[in-house]
Amino acid sequence: MIEFSSLIAGATLVLLLMVVAMRGWRASRDFDEPQLARCDEGISEQCPEEFVARIFSRADWDFVRGVRCRGIERLYQRERRRVALVWVRQISAVIRRVMRGHAEAARRSKNLEVSTEISIFAQYAASMAVCSVLSIAIQMAGPLWLGGLAHFAQKLSLRVAKLQESLQADVLAKAAGSRAA
Amino acid sequence: MLTQLIWWSSIALEIALLVRGLRSQLAHRLPIFYGYITFVALLDITRFLFQRNSQVYPGIYWGTEFLALAIGSLVIFEIYKVSLAAYPGAARMARNALSFVFLTAVAKGLADVATSGGWQPASTALQMERALRTVQAAAILALVALFLVYSIPFGRNLRGILLGYGLFIGQRVIVLTFMPPQGHHFWFYAYSWVYVVTLLVWLAHLWSYERCPQPRIAVPLEQEYQTIAAATQRRMQAMRVYVRKAVRL
């Protein structure tokens, strides 16, 4: 019974993720393909940082919300989601290109190292997994939520780091005190 | 009737494959594969001649089946050798991947023996064949994965051999999981018909010799691997930093 219910749950989850991934893929395909191809040539040249910074930023959203029009808000959210998905596709295309370039060079190298190859492949797989997770998260919750989450995580990690520093300082002070005594 | 049809069509296709191989000079380029086909053709004829002798036939069947399996493993070795001849780096990775597959299989076999307290006399020839075919399937999967990762171009001929043999091994593993030890039933016919399909795939892909495409991008061979690997790792790292920064902005 437990196996059956977990099977149902697993299958439903997989189907749901597939639907979400499919919708994301279709949404990003609707965008201008030639633009994508040109942007794939090199992220730094074609997609300036100011442009990328705005995708996940709340500034535009705050402005649109200030207009107080539901139609514009919905249009903004839909378009921003599409732009974010295209950006993720560009990133994964560049990662794939880097890996392809490496494979084409490494396959003919006589002194290839297996451990280095495994490490590079692991990096590649991790990067592609990050892109997939980003794509699913953008499709499900939108780029603004993702930006907010990253911002929150950064704040949290800063707080943890500060706490750790103060704890360390405390321990060091105690140790110095006991040595002096 | 159906069995006879499968038998005759298999023998006819094997002979056609051999004739085409000799005429197109492919038999000289891929000697192990054509040796395997010759062996299987002779085996089919021998089995056909002894099919009504119930005392001799099981011995001939299982003896030749395992011999065919051993020669079949050499076909995988030939695919590896021919396709990766121009790519020493990828060949090195393939050697490691294949060693890993075979060592894992040996370790699993030893672990099974240790847990069951000795060799299982009850384990049938079908179970043994399934275990060996699974190792072959894993080896083919490892090779295909490497071919994909390193974008190894293999021409029409090698692609056909790999496709046909992969199809044959894959379906054999599945069929052996469900197949009862004796009798002519759905799984028996499924196995036999897929072999005919495999032969057709081979015949279509090995009708004539086709030169293997050479890589388009010329890479200076003197370029050190360490430099290439370091550059890739640097670029991957840069991409990760870029994504992290973009999402956090």
Side-chain angles (χ1 to χ4, degrees), chain A residues 8 23 37 76 93 97 118 167:
Chain A
I8 294 285
R23 278 181 59 193
Y76 168 82
R97 209 155 54 90
I118 292 170
L167 273 172

Side-chain angles (χ1 to χ4, degrees), chain A residues 2-15:
Chain A
I2 293 169
E3 286 91 7
F4 184 70
S5 56
S6 57
L7 180 74
I8 294 285
T12 314
L13 182 68
V14 169
L15 279 173

Side-chain angles (χ1 to χ4, degrees), chain A residues 102 104 107 111-113 117, chain B residues 89 150-151 217 225-226 232:
Chain A
H102 169 80
E104 276 168 2
R107 67 189 181 183
N111 51 355
L112 176 140
E113 280 173 19
E117 283 301 292
Chain B
Y150 287 99
S151 321
I217 301 160
Y225 170 73
Q226 289 297 342
T232 307

